[in-house]
Amino acid sequence: MVTSREASKCLANVLLLGSETRQMFVDLGYPAKAAQRLKAISPVSSQQMLPRPLTTLEDELLYSRILFLLTYNTTLDFSELFDDYQLAESIYSNIVRHSKHYSKSGRNDSQPALDTQALSETLKLLFNLSQYYPQHLSNLARSAPHILKILCRINLSTPILQPPVTYLVNALLNLSVDRDDKPHRDSESNPWFPKPDQYCNIDRFISILDNAVRTYTEEQLETLATPLVTLLRKVFEFAPSHVRPHMQTALLPANSDRSQPLGQSNTLSSRLLRLSTSAVAPSFRESVSSLLFELSDKDATSFVRNVGYGFASGFLMTHDLPVPMSATEGWSTAESDIGLGEKLTNVDGNEVNPVTGQIREMEPDAPEEEMTEEEKEREAERLFILFERLKATGVVNVRNPVEEAVREDRFEEVE
């Protein structure tokens, strides 16, 4: 067995480093053997869910990695492995066993590095299979409650977006939008919104996002945090009606943010607004803008009211969405827009600037700067020329103020 395991390590390294060897492995008919080995070590009863030897963890890591690598650059049809070797059940059983390590108390001991690595490889395999074989999502989706359990109870490291957290998030992406097996919106058995605390999973996602946007650079967020924002968007899509307002409150600007132009405070919503205009993180920028638009019920007017026209305009224009006519005019006078201007410029009874989102009465008074002597001279010269041109037209009879001053002896030359 030791020799077999060492050979599997070498094989996994070869498949990783030489992509052309993967098809050779498939042509020789060995994927079925890897799936059979994975099935053999996967626990099938509660007794087998107990902590297993490190050698078994190592086998899970190796065979999951081999199968994961075979999802790239091969002609392998994994449907045979699903049907003949219960691949989905093997993945499910391993994830359930990993979830047993995490208790409600939150006092979870650090897991051995090998355990974390084995979990990561299983999650990577799960994500790719859910991506390439959607017809098997109904079987793969059984793992979702246990992935959520691990993500909610795992001790988060610093920096926060590192394995296995990133793989836990990725693994949930396709499971959350499974159209055939998606629970009813208001079902009490929905694992995404469990009855004891229907906000626990959402709050965990938002907490991770809040930590990430405070920690990482925009370039890092582009790679690491985009899947998390995508997950929040997909969760909001099928969230029960009473859960949606909780997400909107947590992610959209609050009234306290409107004491200054939106995007200038240090809250999560302000940070997201600033990131929605990032020049170096296009995918993350698009995901954040889409999230804020969807939190506004995909309504352009609500979107402008929630984030201000300054942040909303770019997204609306690039997606060919109509910009509310009153967005920059404030109160509309058009009969067809009755009430629209008020909807844009009032938030909870406070009149706001539709462009910046700031409460009107909290806007600073624009200081009137004193003109310099040079500016005064340029302005006087400009007015003199304008009066002379107007006088030359003969349309109106005007007197140049300078001529009038000279005539009345009120003109004083200054050296």
Side-chain angles (χ1 to χ4, degrees), residues 96 218 368 393:
V96 170
E218 294 181 18
E368 295 184 4
T393 63

Side-chain angles (χ1 to χ4, degrees), residues 45-250:
S45 67
S46 57
Q47 291 295 324
Q48 291 177 285
M49 292 293 179
L50 297 174
R52 296 184 294 168
L54 292 181
T55 52
T56 308
L57 284 172
E58 196 169 15
D59 287 338
E60 178 192 350
L61 185 158
L62 289 171
Y63 299 127
S64 294
R65 178 175 291 177
I66 288 172
L67 291 171
F68 166 74
L69 292 171
L70 295 180
T71 61
Y72 297 105
N73 308 118
T74 72
T75 59
L76 175 63
D77 183 2
F78 274 82
S79 293
E80 297 179 7
L81 304 185
F82 278 105
D83 297 336
D84 299 338
Y85 297 95
Q86 294 74 52
L87 182 56
E89 286 71 16
S90 299
I91 293 172
Y92 168 76
S93 297
N94 283 321
I95 290 177
V96 170
R97 179 186 56 77
H98 285 290
S99 72
K100 297 293 182 180
H101 294 305
Y102 300 90
S103 65
K104 290 183 178 180
S105 66
R107 297 188 298 271
N108 301 306
D109 297 330
S110 297
Q111 301 303 317
L114 187 58
D115 191 283
T116 300
Q117 292 168 5
L119 172 61
S120 295
E121 294 300 326
T122 298
L123 292 169
K124 287 160 59 179
L125 175 60
L126 170 61
F127 172 75
N128 274 21
L129 293 177
S130 66
Q131 183 78 9
Y132 300 135
Y133 295 90
Q135 67 271 29
H136 294 284
L137 273 175
S138 57
N139 289 326
L140 295 171
R142 295 176 58 210
S143 301
H146 306 283
I147 297 173
L148 289 165
K149 174 184 175 182
I150 297 173
L151 186 56
C152 279
R153 298 180 182 178
I154 193 172
N155 291 326
L156 299 175
S157 305
T158 302
I160 199 168
L161 292 178
Q162 59 178 300
V165 172
T166 48
Y167 297 134
L168 288 164
V169 170
N170 289 346
L172 291 168
L173 281 174
N174 294 323
L175 305 185
S176 66
V177 292
D178 179 11
R179 300 301 181 183
D180 296 327
D181 291 79
K182 182 177 64 178
H184 189 272
R185 277 179 178 268
D186 297 302
S187 172
E188 294 182 356
S189 62
N190 192 327
W192 294 86
F193 315 100
K195 190 175 180 181
D197 182 3
Q198 294 191 320
Y199 305 140
C200 62
N201 292 319
I202 293 173
D203 288 342
R204 186 63 155 179
F205 300 155
I206 294 175
S207 175
I208 294 173
L209 178 62
D210 188 23
N211 184 298
V213 298
R214 294 173 185 274
T215 305
Y216 293 98
T217 64
E218 294 181 18
E219 292 87 346
Q220 291 172 322
L221 290 171
E222 171 78 356
T223 303
L224 298 172
T226 300
L228 179 57
V229 177
T230 302
L231 179 61
L232 280 168
R233 292 174 57 196
K234 294 184 177 181
V235 170
F236 183 76
E237 180 184 355
F238 65 84
S241 56
H242 61 280
V243 174
R244 287 178 162 230
H246 180 78
M247 295 185 68
Q248 292 168 325
T249 300

Side-chain angles (χ1 to χ4, degrees), residues 12-33:
N13 287 333
V14 169
L15 295 175
L16 174 64
L17 299 174
S19 59
E20 68 280 1
T21 62
R22 299 169 196 169
Q23 186 60 48
M24 299 178 190
F25 187 81
V26 172
D27 293 339
L28 292 171
Y30 289 138
K33 293 183 179 294

Side-chain angles (χ1 to χ4, degrees), residues 258 262 299-309 342-347 352 354 357:
R258 297 183 181 274
L262 292 179
D299 178 72
T301 301
S302 298
F303 186 42
V304 172
R305 185 180 70 249
N306 287 334
V307 306
Y309 180 71
E342 182 174 358
K343 186 177 181 182
L344 278 169
T345 58
N346 278 266
V347 176
V352 300

